[in-house]
Amino acid sequence: REEGEPLRYATIKDGKEKLIVQRFGRGYRFTHQMLKNDRLSVLATFPQGLVNAGYRKANLLPVAVLIANPLMSDGKELFHADHGNLVPVGVGGAAPGVETLNAMFLAMAAQVGMLDEQDDDGGPIPLEIEPHGLLVPKSLEWSTELLLKSPVKIGGTNNEPNIVAGKLPGGVLGLMQLSNASATTWYGYSRPGGIGGGMSVVFLQNEEAPTVK
C-alpha cells in the first residue's frame, strides 16, 4: 500500500466437504469351559488380535476414500480434470516416471486458493504445493523406489543424472489395497499439515486407538 493509505483488511472465503463418521466394533464370547481348556492361551491373546485388526482398519479407510473417488460438494469426483489433479493420459505411460512425476509436480503447484484477486495479486494465486511422497500399488513399489533413489537416470547412461532423486522426502509406500483396486493407479501427496490441506482423518472423543472393553 502507498504511504498513508489505510490498511485494507483481508476477507475469508470458506468451503465445505462432509465428514463421514463410521463406527466399527467386534465382540467375542467364551464360556467358562473354553477358558478352562485354553491351555495354549489363545483366549488371552485374542484381544490383542482385535486391537491389531482395529489399527489395520483405521489405516485402510482413508485409502478406501481415494479408491472410491467420491463426489465432492461441487458435484464432481475428488479426482477430476476440472480439479486439475490428474496426470494427463498419455504422459509418460501409467507408472511413475520422470514425465509422469513432472506432470504431477506441475499439477500440484498449479492448484489455486479460493480467493479471487486481492491487492492486484492476480488471484486466485497458485499455492505452489510441493509433493512429499507417493502411494502406489504394491507391484510398483520397488520400481518406484529405484526411480526415486537411483543417482543416475533409469534407462539412461551413467553420465545422465537422475533429476527426480531426492525430490520426494516422504518416499514411496506400496499398498496391496491399491493393487487390488488397480495395478496402475497411484497418488502423490503433499507434506502433512502443509499448504493445500489434504485428507483429514478425525476421531470421535479423541479416541485414536482401538479400545477393548
Side-chain angles (χ1 to χ4, degrees):
R1 62 191 177 95
E2 297 294 333
E3 180 72 23
E5 283 190 355
L7 180 67
R8 287 185 288 180
Y9 292 91
T11 59
I12 298 176
K13 182 178 180 180
D14 62 358
K16 66 176 182 179
E17 299 296 339
K18 294 180 179 179
L19 287 175
I20 302 174
V21 179
Q22 295 178 300
R23 300 179 65 184
F24 300 92
R26 287 292 185 274
Y28 72 100
R29 294 179 290 185
F30 56 90
T31 65
H32 174 74
Q33 190 66 30
M34 291 170 60
L35 184 61
K36 184 177 180 180
N37 294 333
D38 185 25
R39 295 183 176 86
L40 299 178
S41 300
V42 173
L43 295 179
T45 59
F46 194 69
Q48 184 59 51
L50 289 178
V51 171
N52 294 340
Y55 277 115
R56 290 195 298 270
K57 187 67 175 180
N59 290 332
L60 292 173
L61 290 174
V63 180
V65 174
L66 299 179
I67 294 172
N69 198 20
L71 291 178
M72 307 295 284
S73 59
D74 60 2
K76 299 171 183 175
E77 292 88 355
L78 169 61
F79 297 102
H80 191 280
D82 290 349
H83 293 156
N85 57 6
L86 293 173
V87 173
V89 176
V91 176
V98 174
E99 292 81 7
T100 49
L101 289 182
N102 181 58
M104 181 192 73
F105 269 77
L106 291 174
M108 294 183 70
Q111 293 291 312
V112 297
M114 299 174 62
L115 293 176
D116 296 327
E117 182 172 340
Q118 291 193 3
D119 294 333
D120 301 320
D121 63 2
I125 61 174
L127 296 177
E128 304 287 359
I129 299 172
E130 286 286 334
H132 184 73
L134 298 177
L135 298 176
V136 303
K138 196 68 176 179
S139 58
L140 296 179
E141 184 174 24
W142 282 23
S143 60
T144 307
E145 284 272 13
L146 180 62
L147 171 70
L148 297 179
K149 293 182 178 180
S150 173
V152 295
K153 181 180 178 181
I154 304 299
T157 68
N158 289 336
N159 295 324
E160 294 181 271
N162 180 13
I163 62 174
V164 300
K167 285 288 188 180
L168 296 171
V172 55
L173 176 62
L175 298 171
M176 278 306 303
Q177 186 181 5
L178 292 180
S179 291
N180 293 336
S182 169
T184 58
T185 302
W186 51 276
Y187 305 86
Y189 61 90
S190 61
R191 180 175 59 82
I195 297 175
M199 182 180 292
S200 297
V201 179
V202 296
F203 298 87
L204 288 177
Q205 298 179 340
N206 293 322
E207 289 191 357
E208 298 186 15
T211 58
V212 178
K213 298 179 181 180

